[in-house]
Amino acid sequence: MNIFKKSGYLRALFVGLPFGIGSLIVGIPLFEEIPKIPDELELHSGVLNSFGETTYYDEGIDLEMNLFYVKIDTDSYYAGRRKERELLEPYKYEIGDSIKIWTNQNDVYIKQLIVNNQILMVYKPPYWRAWFFTLAGILFTVMSVFYLIKYNADYFGED
């Protein structure tokens, strides 16, 4: 029996099981942390000063990106993902338009946008993250536990 087969029990015990439990610990609380409605987001409103495409440097991920932006009195806000840009760019913006922007707390990425009382982008909670971690946690935990139960002879070096 080669080393890869002999170490299966230990890999399940020290890699698979902790990864599964860790994913569950991250995934389940995400359902409560994700804002469910725009009222739980930060609202910024004002008059449109400028808009268009710009280069934005995100220090958090150390990346420079070309993003669509709208600038109101207080700050500039950005739409980076392609589907968001496809929703926001075609609108005929005019300087002086009344704008309401919802973002996550202390963030500059647009989650919902209303221009002149017309909704251009509706907030959709990103539950996919919570589901991904929760399902990965369930999968890895269950697989690891079944492996540990079924192949416990591997730990003792039996064939």
Side-chain angles (χ1 to χ4, degrees):
M1 190 181 277
N2 66 22
I3 191 71
F4 189 74
K5 287 185 180 180
K6 285 184 181 180
S7 65
Y9 188 88
L10 295 175
R11 282 183 286 125
L13 183 62
F14 292 114
V15 177
L17 192 59
F19 180 77
I21 293 171
S23 294
L24 284 172
I25 289 170
V26 169
I28 292 172
L30 270 178
F31 284 106
E32 290 299 317
E33 293 172 8
I34 294 173
K36 292 159 190 52
I37 55 174
D39 293 342
E40 296 175 6
L41 297 172
E42 192 172 330
L43 173 63
H44 311 274
S45 59
V47 176
L48 181 64
N49 291 338
S50 65
F51 62 93
E53 190 168 316
T54 188
T55 302
Y56 176 72
Y57 177 73
D58 191 330
E59 294 175 9
I61 57 176
D62 190 28
L63 181 65
E64 188 172 277
M65 305 172 280
N66 287 330
L67 303 175
F68 179 77
Y69 79 99
V70 291
K71 180 173 175 36
I72 59 174
D73 304 332
T74 56
D75 207 356
S76 295
Y77 300 94
Y78 304 92
R81 296 188 315 216
R82 186 178 352 178
K83 67 180 184 177
E84 293 170 352
R85 291 178 69 153
E86 290 172 356
L87 289 172
L88 300 182
E89 285 179 341
Y91 184 79
K92 305 295 183 210
Y93 298 93
E94 293 182 14
I95 304 301
D97 284 347
S98 171
I99 300 246
K100 290 183 182 177
I101 299 170
W102 285 263
T103 64
N104 285 333
Q105 297 295 324
N106 303 319
D107 199 4
V108 294
Y109 294 104
I110 300 169
K111 299 297 178 191
Q112 179 168 304
L113 178 68
I114 296 178
V115 179
N116 294 331
N117 295 323
Q118 181 180 352
I119 298 175
L120 298 185
M121 188 168 84
V122 177
Y123 175 66
K124 295 179 184 164
Y127 285 121
W128 67 269
R129 290 184 208 148
W131 280 112
F132 174 79
F133 283 108
T134 302
L135 294 176
I138 291 169
L139 179 70
F140 276 91
T141 302
V142 169
M143 285 175 34
S144 297
V145 167
F146 280 141
Y147 187 89
L148 294 172
I149 292 170
K150 186 171 182 180
Y151 297 105
N152 64 354
D154 287 356
Y155 180 68
F156 301 108
E158 301 171 10
D159 287 325

